[in-house]
Amino acid sequence: MAVNERIDKQDGLRIVTGSPIYTDDIASPDALVVKIMHSEHHYARIKKIDTQEALKMPGVACILTYKDIAAKPITRAGQTYPEPSPQDWKILDEYVRFKGDDVAIVAADTQRHAVEAMAKIEVEYEVLEPVLDFMEAEGNKAVVHQEEDCFAHFDFGFRPKENVAGSLKVNIGDYEKGLKESDVVITREYRTQATHPAMMEPLTAYTYLDHVGRLVVVASTQVPFHVRRQVATALNIPMHKVRVIKPRIGGGFGCKQTSGAEFYPSLVTLKTGRPAKIYFSRNEVFLAATRRHPFWFELTVGATKDGIIKCFDMKARSDAGAYGEHCWTVLEAGAEKCMALYNKVEGYRYDGKALYTNRVSSGAFRGYGKTQNTFAVECIVNELAEILNIDPVELRNRNIIREGEVLRIGHDHIYDAAVMRQDSCKLDYCLKRGAEMSNWKNSESGKTSSNKAEGTGLALSIQGSGIINLDSGGATLKLNSDGFFTLLIGSADMGTGCDTILAQMAADALEVPYESIVVNSADTDVSPYDDGSYASSTTYVTGTAVVKAAADMIKRLKEEVAKLWKLDLEEISYREGVFTGADNEIDLNHLSYELNSEQISVTRSHKCAKEAPPYKSGFAKVEVDLETGKIKVNEFNAVVDCGTPINPNLATVQTQGGVLQGIGMALFEEINYSQSGDELNDSFMTYKLPCKKEAPKINVEFADSYEPSGPFGAKSIGEVVINAAAPAVIHAIYKATGIWFRELPVTPEKMFKALKLKSNQE
């Protein structure tokens, strides 16, 4: 058996030994180097652009401006067509909408030649007044999208003339009734910040024309099939003229769910006929790649004095940035389930808006809106526990969703109880076990020495395992000579190890050794359609497609064996690679040679049809230096209900990575701006990520859980693991110091000032 085994990640050794496996590694040495000239203004109209001198520079092959392109508005958001994101982005435009937006595309023989040529491009701008604060964006006289041709496929509140990229209102149950029944009602404001995905491999793409003139795009992307559609649409060529190949990916965290690099070399290759590549510098990743949506929340919660939570009301505003990639769906994802962790309330209300600004676009990021909303919800529940004088663990015990209950989501598409029933919810166990691991009842809080204080805090989280009736995955299995199978998938392994776990599932479903499965992903010419790797869907959705394909393969091979032996199908049995019937027996090795002349392959797809969220508890132990404000997370205990962990090793490191990323959001990561609104920390030297010395001991356990609708009982794990980290750390800081922080991150400077203020008030 391979499932639930700690099998090494397939590409792990080649990654750690530096083998050339990424897009830029395999690009042709003679590929033109593509560079982007970026806007130096937050908001401007290009009055004049002169490329004549630049075109005379050595090595220059091509320079393109908005005048050279009949661009039409699309969205770069990698979502199933028709995308819910506004169609508001063009490859090049007369207007530049943030500092770093695209002005011109330069292709040359070398990077040096491209950079030198770019310096010769003369641009005259009409500088426009920008809107940089999303809380001032709605109705601002500075309108980010003045053009008439941007549009949205759906009526999701897209009102560009008011700087509203999307809006969402939700009303579930009877909020007013819950409010009347509440003895205690509290309202708080919370803010979360933009954070960078900081994946190790920058955005990169390589393009060329194949032997019949088709455009081949080799790209570091989470969504190869969406990239194919977007490139074809943006370049106005038929989709069958585009092939997208995804090699290994060095991290994505959602950033590569937005097409960021693919258009530029594609355009150059079509213009010149030559191979081309683009490789964003780290500075360009900070300058132009999407980041997590900043949010402002006003949240009200009502409860009885004995700790029964009766209602939630949330107002949410997010900064979409210059383009609305993922803006509405991030709102929707945040509204969906976070409040429904407390499933016994009378009613929920949600009022959300995503607002355009002249900032870098926000986009998909691990957690996809739930991370921000969970921060607000879990923080206010901890504050409520303090006001009610009820232990936060006990308060949650009285209110959380449990196995067998029907999840009430904050969205207006309604499914029946069978779809929403929680058949594998072990959140109560996660809470109980996390408290035990953290020695919650005996944990110290407050001052422990003259200059140190400690505290332990907690939070819960929920995520999805795919979007119902939307997310789909496919798997093709092909029997080869010698009895091994090729597993063709369209999902993208971002470093998480999905190729490995899908092979584990295929091996178990086919009852063959793990080594008999060769994974090939992803090539739009040969892979079955897959929405891509996002929404925590690969294990649950694509994994189910793999299991279905394996069952079909066994059935198909039984049919061939029955024909071979002239027996009825019912007389053929299969176990562990061997077919038997009457007095006959044949193994896969010999059968594959018998069937060489008739290639046996099967393909199955699976569309997400059940709400099967994973759950997690997080307990943070924090130490605060009362003299300097330095905050240190000493220990984090995480208990995860992800159903069956297909590969416990990979699930553990996924959890540890997610927790550390959440700690980064809580304590370190933020974008600093100058008085003129420029971003100041646009490199790894100035943007603070938690590194090894800030990483606490992260203990991970998994609940004994089995999701009946998942492959081998599995649910997702990729995103749920980040969501509880920041609110748990904030709670621990309060337990240590008595100070509530409601805005992230809590840096030593903020901690120091808060300690001084508290001291002055005492």
Side-chain angles (χ1 to χ4, degrees):
M1 296 291 285
V3 165
N4 206 223
E5 291 294 322
R6 299 178 183 273
I7 292 171
D8 289 344
K9 190 167 171 287
Q10 287 187 345
D11 52 5
L13 186 61
R14 290 180 62 79
I15 289 173
V16 299
T17 54
S19 298
I21 57 176
Y22 298 109
T23 297
D24 193 58
D25 296 331
I26 60 179
S28 171
D30 65 346
L32 291 169
V33 176
V34 178
K35 297 297 291 181
I36 305 297
M37 182 178 184
H38 299 285
S39 167
E40 57 192 70
H41 300 288
H42 295 298
Y43 194 17
R45 184 177 71 85
I46 300 172
K47 293 172 64 178
K48 182 180 177 183
I49 184 164
D50 186 346
T51 61
Q52 292 305 310
E53 292 302 314
L55 283 167
K56 296 175 186 174
M57 295 292 287
V60 173
C62 173
I63 297 178
L64 301 168
T65 73
Y66 76 93
K67 295 180 179 179
D68 304 304
I69 303 170
K72 52 186 177 183
I74 66 164
T75 178
R76 295 178 296 179
Q79 298 173 295
T80 302
Y81 181 84
E83 308 94 335
S85 296
Q87 312 289 306
D88 58 5
W89 181 87
K90 297 172 183 174
I91 298 177
L92 292 170
D93 195 5
E94 181 181 4
Y95 286 86
V96 285
R97 297 183 173 83
F98 67 93
K99 203 162 191 173
D101 207 351
D102 307 331
V103 174
I105 300 169
V106 180
D109 291 339
T110 68
Q111 176 164 311
R112 180 172 65 84
H113 285 140
V115 171
E116 289 175 352
M118 201 153 54
K120 295 292 184 181
I121 298 175
E122 295 182 0
V123 186
E124 185 179 343
Y125 294 98
E126 176 190 0
V127 179
L128 304 172
E129 183 179 349
V131 53
L132 300 175
D133 184 343
F134 70 97
M135 296 301 288
E136 299 175 358
E138 186 173 7
N140 196 295
K141 64 181 180 180
V143 177
V144 178
H145 285 277
Q146 305 179 34
E147 72 275 24
E148 298 296 330
D149 55 353
C150 60
F151 66 99
H153 290 300
F154 303 96
D155 182 14
F156 289 151
F158 178 59
R159 303 198 308 277
K161 296 295 187 287
E162 299 170 39
N163 287 329
V164 179
S167 60
L168 171 72
K169 285 195 175 184
V170 171
N171 199 338
I172 302 289
D174 190 340
Y175 172 81
E176 296 297 338
K177 181 174 184 291
L179 193 64
K180 288 178 183 175
E181 294 175 355
S182 299
D183 301 311
V184 174
V185 178
I186 61 172
T187 300
R188 298 287 186 270
E189 289 187 27
Y190 299 95
R191 279 180 178 262
T192 61
Q193 77 280 36
T195 53
H196 283 287
M199 62 278 182
M200 292 306 295
E201 184 199 16
L203 303 179
T204 181
Y206 158 55
T207 55
Y208 61 93
L209 298 178
D210 70 8
H211 62 288
V212 293
R214 294 174 73 217
L215 177 67
V216 181
V217 183
V218 183
S220 180
T221 175
Q222 298 173 223
V223 287
F225 285 91
H226 297 327
V227 167
R228 182 179 65 176
R229 184 185 71 250
Q230 291 168 338
V231 167
T233 304
L235 273 54
N236 203 26
I237 56 177
M239 204 185 304
H240 69 263
K241 290 284 190 181
V242 182
R243 175 186 182 186
V244 177
I245 299 171
K246 173 213 70 70
R248 311 316 301 162
I249 303 177
F253 303 117
C255 184
K256 293 173 182 173
Q257 194 193 336
T258 297
S259 302
E262 296 84 354
F263 303 99
Y264 313 110
S266 296
L267 194 56
V268 168
T269 291
L270 289 183
K271 291 283 185 182
T272 65
R274 297 176 59 182
K277 72 171 187 177
I278 189 167
Y279 184 88
F280 278 44
S281 68
R282 184 59 60 183
N283 173 259
E284 287 176 310
V285 173
F286 275 93
L287 192 68
T290 58
R291 68 276 299 270
R292 188 184 295 284
H293 284 80
F295 264 86
W296 167 89
F297 299 102
E298 183 183 87
L299 179 57
T300 297
V301 60
T304 62
K305 58 187 176 185
D306 56 349
I308 303 302
I309 299 174
K310 304 299 289 187
C311 60
F312 280 102
D313 177 57
M314 179 180 280
K315 292 178 184 173
R317 300 291 182 267
S318 73
D319 186 352
Y323 302 100
E325 290 125 344
H326 300 278
C327 68
W328 187 85
T329 37
V330 163
L331 277 180
E332 182 208 25
E336 267 187 356
K337 304 186 185 78
C338 301
M339 292 180 284
L341 278 169
Y342 306 98
N343 210 39
K344 300 170 181 62
V345 303
E346 292 293 337
Y348 309 103
R349 293 195 313 201
Y350 187 94
D351 172 10
K353 287 181 182 174
L355 302 162
Y356 282 123
T357 64
N358 294 107
R359 294 286 192 200
V360 181
S361 292
S362 302
F365 198 138
R366 190 181 200 172
Y368 205 88
K370 293 185 179 70
T371 308
Q372 298 96 317
N373 282 252
T374 298
F375 172 73
V377 170
E378 288 301 282
C379 282
I380 204 168
V381 169
N382 283 327
E383 292 202 44
L384 177 67
E386 189 71 18
I387 290 170
L388 293 171
N389 195 28
I390 297 175
D391 184 296
V393 171
E394 176 55 29
L395 179 65
R396 287 174 169 83
N397 258 327
R398 297 177 190 179
N399 292 281
I400 57 173
I401 188 169
R402 294 173 189 270
E403 193 166 84
E405 294 183 12
V406 174
L407 183 71
R408 301 164 68 193
I409 63 170
H411 189 42
D412 58 358
H413 53 260
I414 305 299
Y415 301 101
D416 62 33
V419 174
M420 305 307 293
R421 188 181 60 245
Q422 297 302 281
D423 295 323
S424 61
C425 174
K426 304 293 185 190
L427 184 58
D428 52 344
Y429 171 82
C430 294
L431 179 62
K432 174 176 174 289
R433 182 59 190 144
E436 291 171 353
M437 291 167 67
S438 305
N439 193 21
W440 174 261
K441 289 184 177 178
N442 301 312
S443 60
E444 289 190 28
S445 291
K447 204 167 180 179
T448 55
S449 68
S450 60
N451 65 335
K452 295 288 174 61
E454 292 181 356
T456 302
L458 82 117
L460 305 178
S461 64
I462 183 174
Q463 194 70 31
S465 290
I467 305 170
I468 296 177
N469 284 339
L470 191 65
D471 279 348
S472 64
T476 295
L477 278 167
K478 181 165 73 76
L479 176 65
N480 303 286
S481 301
D482 212 27
F484 74 96
F485 293 90
T486 305
L487 173 61
L488 300 164
I489 50 176
S491 58
D493 190 332
M494 292 176 277
T496 57
C498 77
D499 285 2
T500 303
I501 65 165
L502 293 173
Q504 288 180 254
M505 288 192 264
D508 271 22
L510 290 165
E511 301 181 38
V512 298
Y514 169 75
E515 293 74 16
S516 297
I517 308 297
V518 174
V519 180
N520 188 311
S521 69
D523 179 337
T524 56
D525 269 10
V526 296
S527 305
Y529 176 81
D530 193 295
D531 286 337
S533 291
Y534 59 85
S536 291
S537 62
T538 302
T539 298
Y540 184 74
V541 178
T542 307
T544 302
V546 169
V547 172
K548 288 180 175 179
D552 276 8
M553 173 58 81
I554 292 173
K555 180 174 179 294
R556 181 78 179 83
L557 292 176
K558 279 184 174 180
E559 291 170 350
E560 293 298 324
V561 172
K563 283 194 289 185
L564 194 67
W565 292 337
K566 302 186 187 318
L567 295 173
D568 292 335
L569 182 63
E570 294 73 22
E571 296 179 80
I572 308 300
S573 62
Y574 174 78
R575 183 173 180 177
E576 297 181 359
V578 179
F579 295 86
T580 56
D583 296 328
N584 302 307
E585 183 175 289
I586 188 169
D587 61 22
L588 280 169
N589 180 9
H590 292 88
L591 179 62
S592 63
Y593 285 104
E594 291 280 353
L595 300 177
N596 260 351
S597 59
E598 186 174 355
Q599 177 65 66
I600 305 297
S601 65
V602 298
T603 298
R604 286 297 301 270
S605 295
H606 178 72
K607 181 181 281 189
C608 186
K610 180 82 166 64
E611 192 66 64
Y615 296 92
K616 179 197 151 199
S617 71
F619 288 75
K621 289 180 178 289
V622 164
E623 178 185 89
V624 179
D625 189 315
L626 301 174
E627 294 179 343
T628 65
K630 183 179 179 181
I631 304 163
K632 182 181 180 185
V633 181
N634 285 325
E635 183 179 306
F636 199 100
N637 293 298
V639 184
V640 186
D641 167 14
C642 60
T644 302
I646 301 299
N647 185 320
N649 271 358
L650 295 179
T652 298
V653 297
Q654 276 263 42
T655 305
Q656 291 170 329
V659 167
L660 189 57
Q661 205 166 29
I663 291 172
M665 187 176 174
L667 300 179
F668 303 106
E669 297 183 52
E670 66 177 335
I671 297 166
N672 304 128
Y673 297 101
S674 69
Q675 288 188 338
S676 60
D678 294 356
E679 296 189 8
L680 297 174
N681 48 340
D682 54 1
S683 76
F684 279 158
M685 296 296 290
T686 52
Y687 182 82
K688 175 58 182 168
L689 289 164
C691 59
K692 191 175 187 304
K693 69 177 184 179
E694 281 100 20
K697 181 181 181 183
I698 302 175
N699 303 307
V700 179
E701 290 191 8
F702 300 102
D704 184 10
S705 175
Y706 186 93
E707 169 54 44
S709 66
F712 297 96
K715 298 189 283 188
S716 80
I717 191 168
E719 295 178 285
V720 72
V721 292
I722 187 175
N723 296 342
V729 169
I730 296 304
H731 188 210
I733 292 172
Y734 169 76
K735 296 289 286 294
T737 65
I739 299 171
W740 288 114
F741 284 89
R742 302 186 179 97
E743 182 173 344
L744 297 178
V746 184
T747 60
E749 291 82 359
K750 293 177 184 174
M751 186 76 248
F752 180 79
K753 288 179 181 177
L755 288 167
K756 284 292 182 189
L757 180 63
K758 183 171 183 275
S759 176
N760 292 336
Q761 292 172 341
E762 289 176 346

